[in-house]
Amino acid sequence: SNTNYKVYVTAGKTQKASKEDSQPSAVKSMKTKAYKRTIVFAGDSIVGCLHLQPTMITKMHSTANVKMVGITSITSRTFRTRRKGKGMTGIERVKSYHPYRVYFLLGLNEVCYRPFKDILADRKNLTNQLRKQNPNVDVVWCATPPVTKAEMKRAPHMRLTPALNKEMEKFAKKNHCEYLDYTAFLK
């Protein structure tokens, strides 16, 4: 952003310099336009509450614009199918920001009742929709957070969360995404 560059070209048959290389071309100067990147945090009500913690975002030490797309009671499937604010689905809102990086935090609303294969298929669909618009977007899938012991007693099926997170780690590698496991300090 807003940087001066000087560029020249030399033709050659190999990657290393050799006697057969051409003379360098004339030097061209250019200055890139000023721009500001956009990071999007997308997901369920946990993301929706991030705007209540502005200090968390400022601690990122990023000069990027930060946008939040948090929808209450959303799953990986309904993030791409349910129309909320401004008549857009969650994924349509994310794409409208033309982000260079997206952090997805989904899972608490689906780990209990949806097969992992369906969850992963929907997440692959979300990733592909983003990359169709912008092949260079960084997609970061965040681990599903753990729940308290009291919540585990109330909803024993939440014990599936660590297994879902293991599957998400594999999924991220296979689909050229990043996986962010921040859960250790929450446990």
Side-chain angles (χ1 to χ4, degrees):
S1 174
N2 208 26
T3 304
N4 291 311
Y5 288 96
K6 292 187 179 201
V7 181
Y8 68 89
V9 177
T10 301
K13 290 185 177 179
T14 64
Q15 290 182 353
K16 295 183 178 181
S18 74
K19 294 183 231 174
E20 298 173 8
D21 289 355
S22 70
Q23 293 298 312
S25 66
V27 174
K28 296 287 184 181
S29 297
M30 65 173 279
K31 184 173 186 170
T32 58
K33 294 179 183 177
Y35 68 91
K36 198 163 195 164
R37 292 180 167 183
T38 299
I39 296 172
V40 177
F41 289 89
D44 55 28
S45 57
I46 294 172
V47 174
C49 292
L50 285 177
H51 74 279
L52 301 174
Q53 299 292 329
T55 57
M56 187 191 110
I57 301 304
T58 56
K59 287 180 181 177
M60 287 178 54
H61 303 292
S62 175
T63 59
N65 291 321
V66 177
K67 302 291 183 182
M68 306 287 181
V69 180
I71 304 170
T72 304
S73 302
I74 205 83
T75 67
S76 299
R77 173 164 293 143
T78 55
F79 195 82
R80 63 183 178 82
T81 60
R82 186 189 302 165
R83 298 197 179 281
K84 285 288 222 177
K86 300 181 183 175
M88 289 192 273
T89 65
I91 193 65
E92 288 170 343
R93 267 192 48 220
V94 169
K95 289 177 5 181
S96 74
Y97 293 125
H98 302 283
Y100 88 97
R101 180 171 297 134
V102 178
Y103 291 89
F104 280 109
L105 177 57
L106 293 160
L108 280 178
N109 299 322
E110 60 192 334
V111 67
C112 309
Y113 68 93
R114 294 190 66 217
F116 289 178
K117 67 177 181 57
D118 293 346
I119 294 170
L120 298 175
D122 287 328
R123 291 178 182 193
K124 183 172 185 171
N125 186 298
L126 289 169
T127 302
N128 290 342
Q129 282 187 41
L130 277 174
R131 289 189 173 145
K132 191 172 189 179
Q133 175 185 326
N134 178 0
N136 297 320
V137 66
D138 291 334
V139 179
V140 181
W141 284 97
C142 300
T144 301
V147 296
T148 63
K149 289 180 183 179
E151 180 64 12
M152 196 78 75
K153 283 182 182 177
R154 191 189 73 71
H157 43 272
M158 294 304 285
R159 286 189 172 93
L160 295 172
T161 301
L164 175 60
N165 286 339
K166 282 189 194 297
E167 290 300 314
M168 275 309 302
E169 188 171 12
K170 292 179 204 171
F171 167 88
K173 285 180 185 171
K174 184 177 178 183
N175 290 282
H176 310 289
C177 303
E178 295 296 321
Y179 175 71
L180 177 61
D181 187 357
Y182 58 91
T183 61
F185 78 94
L186 294 175
K187 294 175 187 173

